[in-house]
Amino acid sequence: MSLKPTNNPSRWQFLALLLTSASVLVGVASTPVETRVLAVLVWGTDEAKPTGKNLKEVDTKLRDRLANVFKWKNYFEVNRQSASLAASAKVQCLKLSDDCSVEVKLLPENVAEVKLMGKGKPIVTRRHSLAKTDALVLAGDDKNKTAWFVVLNFN
Amino acid sequence: MNTELQLQANLDGELDAREVREIEALLARDAQSAALMQELKWTKGAISGNEAEVKLPETREFYWGKIERAIVAEERKAAAAPAERAWWLKFLYPATGLAAVVAVMFVISGGRTTDGADTESVQEDVNAISFRSEAEAMSVVYVADENATYSPVSQEPTNEPEADK
């Protein structure tokens, strides 16, 4: 291969520009993206909103999504919490009620581990791939044929 | 026709006999016209005697044949030359390389490519089912408990508010 310098400097300028762009893009791609989690505790019932409770109906979009999957007619938001998830596997604890909290941490390979704690004991531990944009819903039967839902959204 | 033109025409042999006689009579009686006539004769003689004669070194057919062969050779040369590449082809290879580098770094940096990692574990005495709703983009783990021994919504938290808002 000849190392004879070319008379066309634009080729080298283009190469330098290309390498610079690649470096920037690689840097951007290598930068860990902050992941946020939003947890919403929802109560599902066929009855009307009970008086004396600080409940509000969930937004229409979430209500429709839940109603398309579950059987209950009404869905009320009890509480919501959000947090940022660091890649250092630090556990974030989101307390949604006196008897309900979720512990969330990021695992390698873009997976979040969610542990639903009830009365201080783990009820469900779920490893959830963040490759999908799916919401994670941890749910269960409640008293009087009602249900509780913990809806987690990651972004 | 003026006198100068008549003299030139006479020199070129373009006049008839009567006009020739008239010119000769003019030259006999007018010295200036005679001098002009003499000068025209000298000029004609100088031109005709010293004009460069150009001769082709080859026959006419061979001369034009060479031109024709040169034209054909030029046309063949132009046809054999590679067509100039489209401008975007100059960027194709670098762009492909760049895309490959970015793809590799994206995978190395842990881009959101992991799939199929969804698993759950529950207590032994807990009956849980899991499913996914494609339409609602929702992964569900449902804890079935007919006795409803666990009710997280019965009381809202009374301690510190939201952890991070």
Side-chain angles (χ1 to χ4, degrees):
Chain A
M1 174 185 277
S2 173
L3 297 178
K4 182 181 178 182
T6 176
N7 293 326
N8 186 8
S10 63
R11 178 182 301 174
W12 298 105
Q13 289 172 354
F14 177 74
L15 184 61
L17 178 64
L18 186 68
L19 291 174
T20 304
S21 303
S23 301
V24 171
L25 287 174
V26 166
V28 170
S30 303
T31 303
V33 178
E34 184 188 66
T35 301
R36 290 190 66 81
V37 58
L38 170 66
V40 182
L41 178 59
V42 176
W43 182 50
T45 178
D46 288 331
E47 304 298 326
K49 179 182 176 182
T51 57
K53 281 202 170 186
N54 185 22
L55 299 174
K56 66 175 182 177
E57 290 189 32
V58 299
D59 62 80
T60 306
K61 186 179 178 183
L62 179 58
R63 185 197 64 202
D64 291 344
R65 291 178 72 187
L66 291 172
N68 287 336
V69 177
F70 302 102
K71 63 180 183 180
W72 290 272
K73 295 177 183 175
N74 301 314
Y75 297 88
F76 299 101
E77 179 178 323
V78 179
N79 195 9
R80 66 167 56 202
Q81 298 281 334
S82 65
S84 296
L85 301 177
S88 57
K90 181 184 176 185
V91 177
Q92 281 284 1
C93 182
L94 306 176
K95 189 173 179 63
L96 294 169
S97 75
D98 284 347
D99 291 337
C100 177
S101 61
V102 287
E103 295 178 359
V104 187
K105 71 175 179 181
L106 284 181
L107 299 179
E109 300 185 349
N110 203 31
V111 172
E113 184 178 83
V114 178
K115 185 180 293 184
L116 176 67
M117 303 294 291
K119 297 180 180 177
K121 295 188 300 183
I123 297 177
V124 177
T125 302
R126 167 80 173 192
R127 290 193 173 184
H128 181 69
S129 170
L130 302 182
K132 300 189 290 275
T133 57
D134 281 14
L136 174 61
V137 179
L138 306 177
D141 290 322
D142 207 331
K143 297 171 184 173
N144 302 321
K145 297 187 184 302
T146 61
W148 53 267
F149 305 87
V150 176
V151 182
L152 297 115
N153 281 287
F154 298 86
N155 57 29
Chain B
M1 187 181 293
N2 61 29
T3 303
E4 292 180 4
L5 290 178
Q6 284 180 325
L7 292 175
Q8 182 67 57
N10 182 44
L11 187 62
D12 295 337
E14 297 171 349
L15 300 180
D16 56 22
R18 184 180 61 82
E19 290 173 327
V20 171
R21 285 195 297 272
E22 290 177 356
I23 289 298
E24 287 176 348
L26 175 63
L27 294 174
R29 66 174 184 269
D30 184 4
Q32 189 174 0
S33 297
L36 178 59
M37 185 64 182
Q38 188 61 46
E39 186 176 349
L40 289 172
K41 285 180 180 178
W42 288 341
T43 302
K44 183 179 180 180
I47 292 173
S48 61
N50 295 288
E51 186 175 11
E53 184 177 3
V54 178
K55 287 186 178 179
L56 290 174
E58 56 235 349
T59 64
R60 180 177 182 277
E61 290 74 16
F62 182 73
Y63 180 78
W64 288 110
K66 284 203 302 183
I67 294 176
E68 186 179 5
R69 286 194 297 274
I71 291 173
V72 170
E74 285 293 327
E75 289 175 348
R76 286 178 181 170
K77 188 177 178 182
E84 187 177 356
R85 294 195 302 175
W87 66 269
W88 58 268
L89 280 175
K90 298 175 183 175
F91 300 95
L92 181 62
Y93 295 126
T96 304
L98 180 61
V101 169
V102 171
V104 168
M105 293 309 298
F106 184 72
V107 172
I108 291 174
S109 65
R112 293 191 169 195
T113 56
T114 305
D115 199 1
D118 298 345
T119 58
E120 68 274 340
S121 59
V122 297
Q123 299 291 316
E124 288 184 358
D125 57 342
V126 173
N127 180 23
I129 57 173
S130 62
F131 59 92
R132 179 171 186 265
S133 169
E134 187 80 33
E136 301 303 329
M138 186 184 292
S139 297
V140 179
V141 180
Y142 195 89
V143 178
D145 183 5
E146 292 181 354
N147 298 322
T149 55
Y150 174 58
S151 178
V153 298
S154 59
Q155 280 189 323
E156 296 172 49
T158 55
N159 53 1
E160 61 187 40
E162 300 177 357
D164 179 11
K165 267 199 172 179

